[in-house]
Amino acid sequence: MYTLGINAAFHDPAAALVKDGVVLAAAEEERFTHIKHGKRPIPFSTYELPYHAIDFCLKKGGITLAEVDHIAYSFDPYMQLEEQSQAETLQIPLKSTASTGNWTNPWDSLFLSSIVNAPGHLVDGVPLHLSTRFKGASRLGPYQWHFTNHHLSHAASAFLPSPYTNAAVLVLDGRGEVATTSYWHGQGNQMTLLGEVTMPHSLGLMYEQMTTYLGFLHSSDEYKVMALASFCNPVYKDYFKGLIHLKEEGQYTIDPLNLEATFGPAREKGGPLEQMHYDIAHSVQVVLEETVLELLQFLYEKTKADSVCLAGGVALNCVMNARLRDRGPFKNIWVQPAAGDAGTALGAAMWIDAQQRKTDERSYEMEHVYLGPSYSDEEIEQFLQWSKLPYRRLNNVAEEVAEYLAEGNIIGWFQQGMEFGPRALGARSLLAAPFPAEMQARLNDLKDREDFRPVAPVVLEEEADAWFINSRKSPFMLFVNDVREEKVDAIPAVTHTDGTARVQTINPQQNPVYYNLIKSFYEKTGVPILVNTSFNTRGEPVVCSPRDAVESFWTSPLDALIIGSFMLEKNPKTVEVSFQSSVYNFQ
C-alpha cells in the first residue's frame, strides 16, 4: 500500500512516500525550485503544491500518482470552516485592511478554499514538464484523500519513526488549524490526544514576533535569535516571563506583545546589533526553555512514560532541546529531524498508513534522513563531461580528502541521498577542519552569513564522549553539548562563545563514506571531528542536484568540490601559509 504525504498549507512544502509502513522518500520543494522555504506562509500561496517533491517521491517509488492508494494532506480545513463546511461560496475582503477583530485572518476564506480544492489543484495545476507521473489521476482519485490534522501530523512524525513504542509526545509550533501546543501519549502505532493550547496563545508565534523585532525574517530566521542568545544575559527575563501565565493541565496564556512600546523601534534588517538586542534574545530563549520544562513536567505526570518525542518548529531549537534532555523528567528524548512543517508530510503519510493497515507492528525506524535524490558516479560523470568541467577521479576518497582538509581547505561535499529536513548531515555539506579559530570566520564569509553565527561539528560516534560533556547518540544535530574544557583549544572553530557546540554524531551504518572521511581525518590529525555546515550560500536552499552543487561551487570561494568519487578544484595546491600549521596532533 502506497501513501503519499503532502505539506503545503503554511511554509516548507514537502512530500513523502510511505509503503507498508516504510518511508521510501521524502523531500522539500525548496530544493527543486531554489525558493527558500518553498514559499512564504501567506494566504495567497496556499494553492501552491510541492509538485517537484511529489514527482521525486513517485519516481523513487517507481509509481505514478494513479498507483497511490492514499494521499494525506497535513491540514484539515474543516476544523475552521465549521458551519460553512457545506457552503458553495465564501467571502473574502476587497481590501487587506479588513479585520475580523480576533486572531483569525480576513483572508482565511481564500486560504481555506485553496486547501479544500487541493485534490483538484494536484492534477490540474501540475507543471507540464512533470505531468507524466500525474497522468491517470483525477480530483476524485483513484486514491483516497485524507485531510489530516496538522498537530496530529507533527505528533505522528515524532512518534511513529522513533525508537519507542510507548512515549509521550509534545508538539510546539506557531499554529496548526487552531492548536499551538499539543500533548499526546503514543502506544504502538496509536496516539491519544491529552490536551492542547489554542490560538492566540503560542510560544512559537511569540518567538516569531521576537525574530521580526530583531530584524530577521519570521518563519525562517528563528535559529539566528537562538544564536544571538548565547552572547549576553537574560536582562529582560522577568518581563517576558510575566507575559506567560501557566495554568493547570498544561494550559497557558500569553499577554499581547507590544515590543516597540516597551523596547523602542524594531531593528532594521541588516542594521547594527546593539547590547539590547542580544539581551532580548537571551531573555526570550531562557523563558522559552523554562516554560517548556514546566509543560514537559505536566506531560510526564500525565503519561509516566520513560521517553518523550518532540516535533513542531519550536523543536528545532537545539539549545532548548539540550535543556529538556539534561533537566527534564524523561530518561530518553527523540526529536524529529524535520521537526518543522516539512515533517508533517512524513507524519501524515505514516499516520494514515498505520490507520489503514490497522497494525501495531513497526517496520521502520528513522536512523538517518538521506531520503532525497541521489546520483550514481555514472550520472555525475556524465554531467561533468557534458558541462566540459575539469575534474579528476579520486582513488581513495576518504584518504585524499582528509589530507586536503587537514591542509586548511574548505570543500563542498556531495554524496548519496539528500537530507530531509533543514540540517545538512553529510550528504549536502560544506566541510572543513575545526581549527584554527579563524575557520569559523572563513566559513561565515564564504556563505555571506552574520559574524555571530556558529558552525557545528560532526564527530565519530564512538569518540564523542571524549570531546563533549554528556554526549549521546545524536545523528540529527538537534542538541548542544558543552565542549570538554581540555579540548576547546583543539576545536576552536566549532566551540561557540558559551562553550557549547551543536553536535552531530556519525557511525558507519548511517553514512559509510562520511564516517570513513572523518575517521581518516582523525588518523592524520588526532581530531575525530570536522566542521559541517550546509552546502548553500545566503538566500539559497541546500543544493540538491549535481548542477546545483557545481553552480554553488563556482559562485563561492570554495576550494574544492567532492562530488561522488570526483574532485573539482579551483586552485590546486594553493593554500594559505597560516593554515599549513593546522595539521595538529591532539592524541
PDB file of all heavy atoms in Angstrom, residues 374-387 389 391 393 414-416 428 544-547 549-550 561-568:
ATOM      1  N   SER A 374      19.415  10.971  -5.035  1.00  0.00           N
ATOM      2  CA  SER A 374      20.804  10.525  -5.029  1.00  0.00           C
ATOM      3  C   SER A 374      21.246  10.320  -6.474  1.00  0.00           C
ATOM      4  O   SER A 374      20.428  10.134  -7.376  1.00  0.00           O
ATOM      5  CB  SER A 374      20.957   9.230  -4.227  1.00  0.00           C
ATOM      6  OG  SER A 374      20.177   8.198  -4.794  1.00  0.00           O
ATOM      7  N   TYR A 375      22.570  10.336  -6.674  1.00  0.00           N
ATOM      8  CA  TYR A 375      23.115  10.244  -8.031  1.00  0.00           C
ATOM      9  C   TYR A 375      24.313   9.303  -8.037  1.00  0.00           C
ATOM     10  O   TYR A 375      25.192   9.395  -7.162  1.00  0.00           O
ATOM     11  CB  TYR A 375      23.534  11.642  -8.534  1.00  0.00           C
ATOM     12  CG  TYR A 375      22.377  12.608  -8.591  1.00  0.00           C
ATOM     13  CD1 TYR A 375      22.004  13.327  -7.451  1.00  0.00           C
ATOM     14  CD2 TYR A 375      21.643  12.777  -9.748  1.00  0.00           C
ATOM     15  CE1 TYR A 375      20.930  14.205  -7.482  1.00  0.00           C
ATOM     16  CE2 TYR A 375      20.571  13.659  -9.791  1.00  0.00           C
ATOM     17  CZ  TYR A 375      20.210  14.368  -8.659  1.00  0.00           C
ATOM     18  OH  TYR A 375      19.137  15.226  -8.695  1.00  0.00           O
ATOM     19  N   SER A 376      24.359   8.420  -9.007  1.00  0.00           N
ATOM     20  CA  SER A 376      25.470   7.474  -9.129  1.00  0.00           C
ATOM     21  C   SER A 376      26.689   8.182  -9.713  1.00  0.00           C
ATOM     22  O   SER A 376      26.580   9.274 -10.295  1.00  0.00           O
ATOM     23  CB  SER A 376      25.073   6.311 -10.035  1.00  0.00           C
ATOM     24  OG  SER A 376      24.869   6.779 -11.365  1.00  0.00           O
ATOM     25  N   ASP A 377      27.863   7.546  -9.583  1.00  0.00           N
ATOM     26  CA  ASP A 377      29.070   8.097 -10.197  1.00  0.00           C
ATOM     27  C   ASP A 377      28.905   8.247 -11.705  1.00  0.00           C
ATOM     28  O   ASP A 377      29.409   9.201 -12.307  1.00  0.00           O
ATOM     29  CB  ASP A 377      30.267   7.192  -9.894  1.00  0.00           C
ATOM     30  CG  ASP A 377      30.938   7.525  -8.569  1.00  0.00           C
ATOM     31  OD1 ASP A 377      30.527   8.515  -7.928  1.00  0.00           O
ATOM     32  OD2 ASP A 377      31.863   6.798  -8.171  1.00  0.00           O
ATOM     33  N   GLU A 378      28.196   7.314 -12.312  1.00  0.00           N
ATOM     34  CA  GLU A 378      27.985   7.376 -13.766  1.00  0.00           C
ATOM     35  C   GLU A 378      27.177   8.619 -14.133  1.00  0.00           C
ATOM     36  O   GLU A 378      27.516   9.329 -15.106  1.00  0.00           O
ATOM     37  CB  GLU A 378      27.266   6.114 -14.245  1.00  0.00           C
ATOM     38  CG  GLU A 378      28.094   4.844 -14.184  1.00  0.00           C
ATOM     39  CD  GLU A 378      28.308   4.322 -12.762  1.00  0.00           C
ATOM     40  OE1 GLU A 378      27.502   4.666 -11.855  1.00  0.00           O
ATOM     41  OE2 GLU A 378      29.295   3.587 -12.545  1.00  0.00           O
ATOM     42  N   GLU A 379      26.133   8.900 -13.368  1.00  0.00           N
ATOM     43  CA  GLU A 379      25.307  10.074 -13.641  1.00  0.00           C
ATOM     44  C   GLU A 379      26.099  11.357 -13.413  1.00  0.00           C
ATOM     45  O   GLU A 379      25.989  12.322 -14.181  1.00  0.00           O
ATOM     46  CB  GLU A 379      24.067  10.055 -12.756  1.00  0.00           C
ATOM     47  CG  GLU A 379      23.060   8.964 -13.100  1.00  0.00           C
ATOM     48  CD  GLU A 379      21.929   8.888 -12.093  1.00  0.00           C
ATOM     49  OE1 GLU A 379      22.213   8.746 -10.876  1.00  0.00           O
ATOM     50  OE2 GLU A 379      20.759   8.961 -12.517  1.00  0.00           O
ATOM     51  N   ILE A 380      26.886  11.372 -12.333  1.00  0.00           N
ATOM     52  CA  ILE A 380      27.672  12.567 -12.017  1.00  0.00           C
ATOM     53  C   ILE A 380      28.714  12.825 -13.104  1.00  0.00           C
ATOM     54  O   ILE A 380      28.857  13.951 -13.596  1.00  0.00           O
ATOM     55  CB  ILE A 380      28.345  12.413 -10.636  1.00  0.00           C
ATOM     56  CG1 ILE A 380      27.285  12.426  -9.529  1.00  0.00           C
ATOM     57  CG2 ILE A 380      29.373  13.517 -10.407  1.00  0.00           C
ATOM     58  CD1 ILE A 380      27.803  12.023  -8.170  1.00  0.00           C
ATOM     59  N   GLU A 381      29.448  11.788 -13.506  1.00  0.00           N
ATOM     60  CA  GLU A 381      30.487  11.968 -14.509  1.00  0.00           C
ATOM     61  C   GLU A 381      29.892  12.381 -15.848  1.00  0.00           C
ATOM     62  O   GLU A 381      30.481  13.197 -16.577  1.00  0.00           O
ATOM     63  CB  GLU A 381      31.315  10.703 -14.660  1.00  0.00           C
ATOM     64  CG  GLU A 381      32.527  10.899 -15.575  1.00  0.00           C
ATOM     65  CD  GLU A 381      33.527   9.775 -15.488  1.00  0.00           C
ATOM     66  OE1 GLU A 381      33.116   8.628 -15.186  1.00  0.00           O
ATOM     67  OE2 GLU A 381      34.722  10.032 -15.723  1.00  0.00           O
ATOM     68  N   GLN A 382      28.748  11.838 -16.175  1.00  0.00           N
ATOM     69  CA  GLN A 382      28.093  12.226 -17.422  1.00  0.00           C
ATOM     70  C   GLN A 382      27.797  13.724 -17.426  1.00  0.00           C
ATOM     71  O   GLN A 382      28.004  14.415 -18.430  1.00  0.00           O
ATOM     72  CB  GLN A 382      26.801  11.423 -17.607  1.00  0.00           C
ATOM     73  CG  GLN A 382      26.096  11.677 -18.923  1.00  0.00           C
ATOM     74  CD  GLN A 382      24.829  10.848 -19.068  1.00  0.00           C
ATOM     75  OE1 GLN A 382      24.178  10.496 -18.076  1.00  0.00           O
ATOM     76  NE2 GLN A 382      24.480  10.523 -20.295  1.00  0.00           N
ATOM     77  N   PHE A 383      27.332  14.237 -16.279  1.00  0.00           N
ATOM     78  CA  PHE A 383      27.040  15.671 -16.181  1.00  0.00           C
ATOM     79  C   PHE A 383      28.323  16.497 -16.264  1.00  0.00           C
ATOM     80  O   PHE A 383      28.374  17.525 -16.958  1.00  0.00           O
ATOM     81  CB  PHE A 383      26.305  15.978 -14.875  1.00  0.00           C
ATOM     82  CG  PHE A 383      26.164  17.450 -14.618  1.00  0.00           C
ATOM     83  CD1 PHE A 383      25.249  18.207 -15.326  1.00  0.00           C
ATOM     84  CD2 PHE A 383      26.987  18.088 -13.690  1.00  0.00           C
ATOM     85  CE1 PHE A 383      25.132  19.578 -15.107  1.00  0.00           C
ATOM     86  CE2 PHE A 383      26.880  19.454 -13.466  1.00  0.00           C
ATOM     87  CZ  PHE A 383      25.947  20.204 -14.184  1.00  0.00           C
ATOM     88  N   LEU A 384      29.378  16.054 -15.586  1.00  0.00           N
ATOM     89  CA  LEU A 384      30.638  16.793 -15.603  1.00  0.00           C
ATOM     90  C   LEU A 384      31.237  16.846 -17.005  1.00  0.00           C
ATOM     91  O   LEU A 384      31.753  17.885 -17.437  1.00  0.00           O
ATOM     92  CB  LEU A 384      31.635  16.162 -14.624  1.00  0.00           C
ATOM     93  CG  LEU A 384      31.251  16.209 -13.136  1.00  0.00           C
ATOM     94  CD1 LEU A 384      32.287  15.466 -12.300  1.00  0.00           C
ATOM     95  CD2 LEU A 384      31.094  17.640 -12.648  1.00  0.00           C
ATOM     96  N   GLN A 385      31.133  15.738 -17.730  1.00  0.00           N
ATOM     97  CA  GLN A 385      31.646  15.712 -19.105  1.00  0.00           C
ATOM     98  C   GLN A 385      30.816  16.611 -20.005  1.00  0.00           C
ATOM     99  O   GLN A 385      31.360  17.358 -20.833  1.00  0.00           O
ATOM    100  CB  GLN A 385      31.653  14.276 -19.621  1.00  0.00           C
ATOM    101  CG  GLN A 385      32.692  13.390 -18.952  1.00  0.00           C
ATOM    102  CD  GLN A 385      32.617  11.952 -19.425  1.00  0.00           C
ATOM    103  OE1 GLN A 385      31.615  11.518 -20.007  1.00  0.00           O
ATOM    104  NE2 GLN A 385      33.674  11.174 -19.169  1.00  0.00           N
ATOM    105  N   TRP A 386      29.508  16.536 -19.852  1.00  0.00           N
ATOM    106  CA  TRP A 386      28.619  17.381 -20.660  1.00  0.00           C
ATOM    107  C   TRP A 386      28.890  18.855 -20.401  1.00  0.00           C
ATOM    108  O   TRP A 386      28.840  19.682 -21.318  1.00  0.00           O
ATOM    109  CB  TRP A 386      27.169  17.029 -20.323  1.00  0.00           C
ATOM    110  CG  TRP A 386      26.155  17.881 -21.021  1.00  0.00           C
ATOM    111  CD1 TRP A 386      25.690  17.742 -22.287  1.00  0.00           C
ATOM    112  CD2 TRP A 386      25.494  19.046 -20.481  1.00  0.00           C
ATOM    113  NE1 TRP A 386      24.767  18.730 -22.580  1.00  0.00           N
ATOM    114  CE2 TRP A 386      24.627  19.536 -21.484  1.00  0.00           C
ATOM    115  CE3 TRP A 386      25.537  19.700 -19.248  1.00  0.00           C
ATOM    116  CZ2 TRP A 386      23.830  20.660 -21.287  1.00  0.00           C
ATOM    117  CZ3 TRP A 386      24.741  20.825 -19.053  1.00  0.00           C
ATOM    118  CH2 TRP A 386      23.901  21.294 -20.074  1.00  0.00           C
ATOM    119  N   SER A 387      29.235  19.189 -19.144  1.00  0.00           N
ATOM    120  CA  SER A 387      29.492  20.576 -18.779  1.00  0.00           C
ATOM    121  C   SER A 387      30.886  21.047 -19.152  1.00  0.00           C
ATOM    122  O   SER A 387      31.214  22.229 -18.962  1.00  0.00           O
ATOM    123  CB  SER A 387      29.297  20.751 -17.261  1.00  0.00           C
ATOM    124  OG  SER A 387      27.998  20.406 -16.874  1.00  0.00           O
ATOM    125  N   LEU A 389      33.704  20.401 -17.692  1.00  0.00           N
ATOM    126  CA  LEU A 389      34.387  20.861 -16.485  1.00  0.00           C
ATOM    127  C   LEU A 389      35.628  20.012 -16.217  1.00  0.00           C
ATOM    128  O   LEU A 389      35.603  18.799 -16.424  1.00  0.00           O
ATOM    129  CB  LEU A 389      33.441  20.767 -15.286  1.00  0.00           C
ATOM    130  CG  LEU A 389      32.231  21.703 -15.299  1.00  0.00           C
ATOM    131  CD1 LEU A 389      31.276  21.344 -14.179  1.00  0.00           C
ATOM    132  CD2 LEU A 389      32.679  23.159 -15.170  1.00  0.00           C
ATOM    133  N   TYR A 391      37.954  17.856 -13.978  1.00  0.00           N
ATOM    134  CA  TYR A 391      37.760  17.071 -12.764  1.00  0.00           C
ATOM    135  C   TYR A 391      38.724  15.900 -12.781  1.00  0.00           C
ATOM    136  O   TYR A 391      39.342  15.596 -13.803  1.00  0.00           O
ATOM    137  CB  TYR A 391      36.324  16.553 -12.677  1.00  0.00           C
ATOM    138  CG  TYR A 391      35.968  15.520 -13.718  1.00  0.00           C
ATOM    139  CD1 TYR A 391      36.150  14.152 -13.469  1.00  0.00           C
ATOM    140  CD2 TYR A 391      35.454  15.893 -14.957  1.00  0.00           C
ATOM    141  CE1 TYR A 391      35.838  13.206 -14.430  1.00  0.00           C
ATOM    142  CE2 TYR A 391      35.142  14.950 -15.928  1.00  0.00           C
ATOM    143  CZ  TYR A 391      35.334  13.609 -15.657  1.00  0.00           C
ATOM    144  OH  TYR A 391      35.033  12.665 -16.598  1.00  0.00           O
ATOM    145  N   ARG A 393      39.121  11.781 -10.935  1.00  0.00           N
ATOM    146  CA  ARG A 393      38.561  10.721 -10.094  1.00  0.00           C
ATOM    147  C   ARG A 393      39.559  10.412  -8.972  1.00  0.00           C
ATOM    148  O   ARG A 393      40.759  10.273  -9.220  1.00  0.00           O
ATOM    149  CB  ARG A 393      38.285   9.463 -10.905  1.00  0.00           C
ATOM    150  CG  ARG A 393      37.667   8.331 -10.069  1.00  0.00           C
ATOM    151  CD  ARG A 393      37.546   7.058 -10.890  1.00  0.00           C
ATOM    152  NE  ARG A 393      36.460   7.149 -11.848  1.00  0.00           N
ATOM    153  CZ  ARG A 393      35.202   6.766 -11.584  1.00  0.00           C
ATOM    154  NH1 ARG A 393      34.891   6.297 -10.383  1.00  0.00           N
ATOM    155  NH2 ARG A 393      34.276   6.870 -12.512  1.00  0.00           N
ATOM    156  N   PHE A 414      29.263  16.329  -1.668  1.00  0.00           N
ATOM    157  CA  PHE A 414      28.007  15.910  -2.297  1.00  0.00           C
ATOM    158  C   PHE A 414      28.041  14.395  -2.440  1.00  0.00           C
ATOM    159  O   PHE A 414      28.765  13.852  -3.279  1.00  0.00           O
ATOM    160  CB  PHE A 414      27.894  16.589  -3.671  1.00  0.00           C
ATOM    161  CG  PHE A 414      26.609  16.348  -4.406  1.00  0.00           C
ATOM    162  CD1 PHE A 414      25.629  17.327  -4.465  1.00  0.00           C
ATOM    163  CD2 PHE A 414      26.382  15.151  -5.072  1.00  0.00           C
ATOM    164  CE1 PHE A 414      24.446  17.118  -5.174  1.00  0.00           C
ATOM    165  CE2 PHE A 414      25.207  14.925  -5.776  1.00  0.00           C
ATOM    166  CZ  PHE A 414      24.239  15.914  -5.819  1.00  0.00           C
ATOM    167  N   GLN A 415      27.262  13.707  -1.597  1.00  0.00           N
ATOM    168  CA  GLN A 415      27.278  12.241  -1.581  1.00  0.00           C
ATOM    169  C   GLN A 415      25.868  11.702  -1.298  1.00  0.00           C
ATOM    170  O   GLN A 415      25.092  12.337  -0.597  1.00  0.00           O
ATOM    171  CB  GLN A 415      28.226  11.716  -0.492  1.00  0.00           C
ATOM    172  CG  GLN A 415      29.644  12.243  -0.573  1.00  0.00           C
ATOM    173  CD  GLN A 415      30.438  11.703  -1.743  1.00  0.00           C
ATOM    174  OE1 GLN A 415      30.166  10.614  -2.239  1.00  0.00           O
ATOM    175  NE2 GLN A 415      31.427  12.463  -2.190  1.00  0.00           N
ATOM    176  N   GLN A 416      25.557  10.553  -1.790  1.00  0.00           N
ATOM    177  CA  GLN A 416      24.359   9.745  -1.571  1.00  0.00           C
ATOM    178  C   GLN A 416      23.065  10.554  -1.541  1.00  0.00           C
ATOM    179  O   GLN A 416      22.939  11.582  -2.194  1.00  0.00           O
ATOM    180  CB  GLN A 416      24.485   8.867  -0.328  1.00  0.00           C
ATOM    181  CG  GLN A 416      24.581   9.529   1.023  1.00  0.00           C
ATOM    182  CD  GLN A 416      24.645   8.502   2.144  1.00  0.00           C
ATOM    183  OE1 GLN A 416      25.587   7.742   2.253  1.00  0.00           O
ATOM    184  NE2 GLN A 416      23.659   8.494   3.001  1.00  0.00           N
ATOM    185  N   ARG A 428      24.880  16.759   1.744  1.00  0.00           N
ATOM    186  CA  ARG A 428      24.995  18.036   1.029  1.00  0.00           C
ATOM    187  C   ARG A 428      25.595  19.051   2.007  1.00  0.00           C
ATOM    188  O   ARG A 428      24.906  19.944   2.509  1.00  0.00           O
ATOM    189  CB  ARG A 428      23.617  18.504   0.540  1.00  0.00           C
ATOM    190  CG  ARG A 428      22.853  17.514  -0.325  1.00  0.00           C
ATOM    191  CD  ARG A 428      23.488  17.332  -1.691  1.00  0.00           C
ATOM    192  NE  ARG A 428      22.652  16.523  -2.567  1.00  0.00           N
ATOM    193  CZ  ARG A 428      22.682  15.199  -2.631  1.00  0.00           C
ATOM    194  NH1 ARG A 428      23.514  14.513  -1.851  1.00  0.00           N
ATOM    195  NH2 ARG A 428      21.908  14.540  -3.465  1.00  0.00           N
ATOM    196  N   CYS A 544      20.732  20.352  -4.272  1.00  0.00           N
ATOM    197  CA  CYS A 544      20.046  19.083  -4.477  1.00  0.00           C
ATOM    198  C   CYS A 544      20.735  18.234  -5.534  1.00  0.00           C
ATOM    199  O   CYS A 544      21.064  17.075  -5.301  1.00  0.00           O
ATOM    200  CB  CYS A 544      18.594  19.345  -4.874  1.00  0.00           C
ATOM    201  SG  CYS A 544      17.620  17.885  -5.309  1.00  0.00           S
ATOM    202  N   SER A 545      20.973  18.800  -6.702  1.00  0.00           N
ATOM    203  CA  SER A 545      21.470  18.044  -7.849  1.00  0.00           C
ATOM    204  C   SER A 545      22.941  18.353  -8.127  1.00  0.00           C
ATOM    205  O   SER A 545      23.491  19.327  -7.594  1.00  0.00           O
ATOM    206  CB  SER A 545      20.647  18.412  -9.088  1.00  0.00           C
ATOM    207  OG  SER A 545      20.906  19.772  -9.446  1.00  0.00           O
ATOM    208  N   PRO A 546      23.595  17.559  -8.977  1.00  0.00           N
ATOM    209  CA  PRO A 546      24.965  17.901  -9.385  1.00  0.00           C
ATOM    210  C   PRO A 546      25.061  19.301  -9.987  1.00  0.00           C
ATOM    211  O   PRO A 546      26.036  20.015  -9.747  1.00  0.00           O
ATOM    212  CB  PRO A 546      25.301  16.817 -10.404  1.00  0.00           C
ATOM    213  CG  PRO A 546      24.491  15.636  -9.973  1.00  0.00           C
ATOM    214  CD  PRO A 546      23.198  16.214  -9.481  1.00  0.00           C
ATOM    215  N   ARG A 547      24.075  19.696 -10.753  1.00  0.00           N
ATOM    216  CA  ARG A 547      24.081  21.051 -11.319  1.00  0.00           C
ATOM    217  C   ARG A 547      24.091  22.102 -10.209  1.00  0.00           C
ATOM    218  O   ARG A 547      24.856  23.067 -10.254  1.00  0.00           O
ATOM    219  CB  ARG A 547      22.871  21.257 -12.237  1.00  0.00           C
ATOM    220  CG  ARG A 547      22.799  22.665 -12.841  1.00  0.00           C
ATOM    221  CD  ARG A 547      21.476  22.868 -13.560  1.00  0.00           C
ATOM    222  NE  ARG A 547      21.396  22.044 -14.752  1.00  0.00           N
ATOM    223  CZ  ARG A 547      21.842  22.406 -15.954  1.00  0.00           C
ATOM    224  NH1 ARG A 547      22.413  23.593 -16.110  1.00  0.00           N
ATOM    225  NH2 ARG A 547      21.722  21.608 -16.977  1.00  0.00           N
ATOM    226  N   ALA A 549      25.176  21.753  -7.174  1.00  0.00           N
ATOM    227  CA  ALA A 549      26.459  21.698  -6.474  1.00  0.00           C
ATOM    228  C   ALA A 549      27.536  22.443  -7.249  1.00  0.00           C
ATOM    229  O   ALA A 549      28.327  23.208  -6.682  1.00  0.00           O
ATOM    230  CB  ALA A 549      26.863  20.252  -6.238  1.00  0.00           C
ATOM    231  N   VAL A 550      27.579  22.220  -8.557  1.00  0.00           N
ATOM    232  CA  VAL A 550      28.586  22.866  -9.393  1.00  0.00           C
ATOM    233  C   VAL A 550      28.370  24.380  -9.435  1.00  0.00           C
ATOM    234  O   VAL A 550      29.319  25.166  -9.340  1.00  0.00           O
ATOM    235  CB  VAL A 550      28.573  22.259 -10.808  1.00  0.00           C
ATOM    236  CG1 VAL A 550      29.363  23.127 -11.782  1.00  0.00           C
ATOM    237  CG2 VAL A 550      29.135  20.840 -10.777  1.00  0.00           C
ATOM    238  N   LEU A 561      35.297  20.851  -4.762  1.00  0.00           N
ATOM    239  CA  LEU A 561      34.022  20.142  -4.693  1.00  0.00           C
ATOM    240  C   LEU A 561      34.311  18.652  -4.813  1.00  0.00           C
ATOM    241  O   LEU A 561      34.946  18.209  -5.771  1.00  0.00           O
ATOM    242  CB  LEU A 561      33.105  20.600  -5.835  1.00  0.00           C
ATOM    243  CG  LEU A 561      31.833  19.771  -6.054  1.00  0.00           C
ATOM    244  CD1 LEU A 561      30.922  19.842  -4.832  1.00  0.00           C
ATOM    245  CD2 LEU A 561      31.087  20.254  -7.308  1.00  0.00           C
ATOM    246  N   ILE A 562      33.844  17.899  -3.829  1.00  0.00           N
ATOM    247  CA  ILE A 562      33.931  16.439  -3.868  1.00  0.00           C
ATOM    248  C   ILE A 562      32.528  15.942  -4.154  1.00  0.00           C
ATOM    249  O   ILE A 562      31.628  16.049  -3.310  1.00  0.00           O
ATOM    250  CB  ILE A 562      34.449  15.853  -2.540  1.00  0.00           C
ATOM    251  CG1 ILE A 562      35.685  16.610  -2.057  1.00  0.00           C
ATOM    252  CG2 ILE A 562      34.714  14.365  -2.700  1.00  0.00           C
ATOM    253  CD1 ILE A 562      36.841  16.599  -3.026  1.00  0.00           C
ATOM    254  N   ILE A 563      32.332  15.412  -5.342  1.00  0.00           N
ATOM    255  CA  ILE A 563      31.001  15.010  -5.785  1.00  0.00           C
ATOM    256  C   ILE A 563      31.074  13.560  -6.243  1.00  0.00           C
ATOM    257  O   ILE A 563      31.700  13.252  -7.263  1.00  0.00           O
ATOM    258  CB  ILE A 563      30.484  15.982  -6.875  1.00  0.00           C
ATOM    259  CG1 ILE A 563      29.103  15.577  -7.369  1.00  0.00           C
ATOM    260  CG2 ILE A 563      31.470  16.163  -8.007  1.00  0.00           C
ATOM    261  CD1 ILE A 563      28.419  16.644  -8.211  1.00  0.00           C
ATOM    262  N   GLY A 564      30.489  12.679  -5.454  1.00  0.00           N
ATOM    263  CA  GLY A 564      30.690  11.259  -5.695  1.00  0.00           C
ATOM    264  C   GLY A 564      32.161  10.926  -5.518  1.00  0.00           C
ATOM    265  O   GLY A 564      32.785  11.304  -4.521  1.00  0.00           O
ATOM    266  N   SER A 565      32.747  10.265  -6.490  1.00  0.00           N
ATOM    267  CA  SER A 565      34.169   9.907  -6.439  1.00  0.00           C
ATOM    268  C   SER A 565      35.060  10.930  -7.135  1.00  0.00           C
ATOM    269  O   SER A 565      36.251  10.672  -7.346  1.00  0.00           O
ATOM    270  CB  SER A 565      34.372   8.531  -7.096  1.00  0.00           C
ATOM    271  OG  SER A 565      33.672   7.533  -6.388  1.00  0.00           O
ATOM    272  N   PHE A 566      34.508  12.086  -7.485  1.00  0.00           N
ATOM    273  CA  PHE A 566      35.232  13.056  -8.298  1.00  0.00           C
ATOM    274  C   PHE A 566      35.557  14.327  -7.520  1.00  0.00           C
ATOM    275  O   PHE A 566      34.833  14.717  -6.608  1.00  0.00           O
ATOM    276  CB  PHE A 566      34.419  13.399  -9.548  1.00  0.00           C
ATOM    277  CG  PHE A 566      33.974  12.181 -10.311  1.00  0.00           C
ATOM    278  CD1 PHE A 566      32.678  11.703 -10.192  1.00  0.00           C
ATOM    279  CD2 PHE A 566      34.868  11.488 -11.115  1.00  0.00           C
ATOM    280  CE1 PHE A 566      32.271  10.569 -10.869  1.00  0.00           C
ATOM    281  CE2 PHE A 566      34.476  10.349 -11.800  1.00  0.00           C
ATOM    282  CZ  PHE A 566      33.176   9.890 -11.678  1.00  0.00           C
ATOM    283  N   MET A 567      36.633  14.973  -7.933  1.00  0.00           N
ATOM    284  CA  MET A 567      37.089  16.199  -7.292  1.00  0.00           C
ATOM    285  C   MET A 567      37.281  17.292  -8.332  1.00  0.00           C
ATOM    286  O   MET A 567      37.917  17.087  -9.366  1.00  0.00           O
ATOM    287  CB  MET A 567      38.409  15.961  -6.557  1.00  0.00           C
ATOM    288  CG  MET A 567      38.925  17.145  -5.771  1.00  0.00           C
ATOM    289  SD  MET A 567      40.401  16.680  -4.802  1.00  0.00           S
ATOM    290  CE  MET A 567      40.599  18.155  -3.791  1.00  0.00           C
ATOM    291  N   LEU A 568      36.715  18.466  -8.031  1.00  0.00           N
ATOM    292  CA  LEU A 568      36.913  19.657  -8.842  1.00  0.00           C
ATOM    293  C   LEU A 568      37.638  20.676  -7.975  1.00  0.00           C
ATOM    294  O   LEU A 568      37.236  20.919  -6.835  1.00  0.00           O
ATOM    295  CB  LEU A 568      35.591  20.251  -9.320  1.00  0.00           C
ATOM    296  CG  LEU A 568      34.804  19.524 -10.420  1.00  0.00           C
ATOM    297  CD1 LEU A 568      34.169  18.243  -9.887  1.00  0.00           C
ATOM    298  CD2 LEU A 568      33.723  20.441 -10.988  1.00  0.00           C
TER     299      LEU A 568
END
